[in-house]
Amino acid sequence: MNVVSEPIVRKKLSDEVFSRLKLMIETGELKAGDDMPSERELMERYGVGRPAIREAMQALAGKGLVEISQGERAKVLRITAESIFRQVDLPAKLMLSGSSDSLEHLKSARIFFERGMVREAAAKVSPAQIAELRALLEKQKQSLGDADAFIDADMEFHHAIARISGNPIFAAVSGAMLGWLKSYHTEMLIWTGREDFTLAEHAEIIRAIERGDADIAEQAMVKHLERSRALYALKSQK
């Protein structure tokens, strides 16, 4: 259809308010941490009713642009890589729960991602970061017998490796993928003796990173993740 002859669609008032408020955020007129104008002020400014303002505010909150607190003005949020991934957290988990193929794809994506992260870590790690990895390994050892704490420490270890890159987007990707996988982690207590394998493999990864040997670090990470990928399964497969 020719654009000139397309029907003119009348926008909802709340959509127009949303567009104008979003533009104020995009142009920097409203900055991270700023209070949004009050409902009354916006009603007077745009000549619309309270429902249109509230719908627009809810839409902004749904996009992760503002935070709405009971009894307080909405506040402009600082956009970070983490906040962006939080917006897709629920849809991602729903996608994964509906398909074993999607979960397998996530496992493969994680291995691809983490082999790059461990190479970055081997090139950039500092003594303080090595100390952090060793502390997380010790924390995991102390969690033996507590499946949830053991898994949490495992996740922290892998997230810490991604943070060594110094790239907040890498760190956010790591946190998101680990969080999605955690929903499908098989109960560790049924894997009698497997915890020791995990601890030994984590120690091997730390040694390779500390030596700055990216090739050995990558090999150790791939071996570790390929062995442990069976620990993640949809509930119907457990």
Side-chain angles (χ1 to χ4, degrees):
M1 182 183 292
N2 191 307
V3 173
V4 176
S5 62
E6 286 182 0
I8 296 174
V9 179
R10 183 176 179 179
K11 268 189 170 183
K12 287 173 57 180
L13 289 176
S14 60
D15 290 343
E16 185 60 38
V17 174
F18 169 83
S19 296
R20 295 190 186 191
L21 294 177
K22 183 166 72 75
L23 184 62
M24 292 172 70
I25 295 171
E26 290 173 341
T27 59
E29 184 177 345
L30 287 169
K31 298 179 173 59
D34 287 350
D35 287 335
M36 295 292 289
S38 68
E39 287 184 353
R40 183 174 297 279
E41 181 182 343
L42 291 174
M43 288 164 61
E44 293 174 355
R45 180 186 301 182
Y46 298 133
V48 299
R50 195 179 302 275
I53 300 299
R54 290 188 172 175
E55 281 186 42
M57 285 295 187
Q58 289 294 337
L60 288 170
K63 297 291 185 183
L65 298 177
V66 305
E67 181 179 38
I68 300 175
S69 300
Q70 188 67 32
E72 299 179 9
R73 286 194 190 185
K75 191 177 293 291
V76 181
L77 289 174
R78 183 171 70 91
I79 304 299
T80 64
E82 287 85 356
S83 68
I84 291 170
F85 278 106
R86 279 198 298 270
Q87 293 300 308
V88 300
D89 190 61
L90 180 58
K93 289 179 178 177
L94 290 173
M95 177 193 73
L96 292 167
S97 67
S99 166
S100 59
D101 286 344
S102 293
L103 184 55
E104 288 303 316
H105 293 159
L106 177 59
K107 294 176 192 178
S108 296
R110 181 199 178 186
I111 292 173
F112 182 85
F113 175 77
E114 291 215 29
R115 67 195 303 170
M117 287 298 92
V118 79
R119 293 188 72 90
E120 282 281 293
K124 297 181 176 179
V125 73
S126 69
Q129 289 164 330
I130 286 292
E132 180 187 7
L133 292 178
R134 293 196 184 285
L136 288 171
L137 179 59
E138 183 59 30
K139 179 179 179 181
Q140 195 170 20
K141 288 179 182 176
Q142 297 302 318
S143 301
L144 282 168
D146 184 335
D148 289 336
F150 190 89
I151 293 167
D152 286 343
D154 186 280
M155 301 293 184
E156 286 183 58
F157 177 82
H158 288 276
H159 195 203
I161 289 175
R163 290 199 304 271
I164 293 172
S165 68
N167 186 323
I169 295 178
F170 284 158
V173 171
S174 171
M177 285 199 295
L178 290 168
W180 300 336
L181 280 169
K182 185 179 179 181
S183 301
Y184 304 99
H185 204 303
T186 301
E187 177 60 54
M188 287 289 292
L189 292 179
I190 70 172
W191 297 86
T192 306
R194 302 293 181 179
E195 298 92 335
D196 289 337
F197 282 108
T198 295
L199 294 171
E201 289 164 355
H202 281 187
E204 183 182 2
I205 290 166
I206 293 173
R207 288 193 296 271
I209 292 173
E210 186 173 24
R211 291 197 306 270
D213 193 329
D215 290 338
I216 297 300
E218 180 183 358
Q219 291 170 20
M221 179 64 79
V222 172
K223 180 182 73 173
H224 169 58
L225 295 180
E226 287 288 3
R227 182 192 63 78
S228 63
R229 70 184 293 160
L231 296 176
Y232 302 90
L234 296 179
K235 286 185 172 63
S236 61
Q237 297 176 322
K238 292 180 183 179

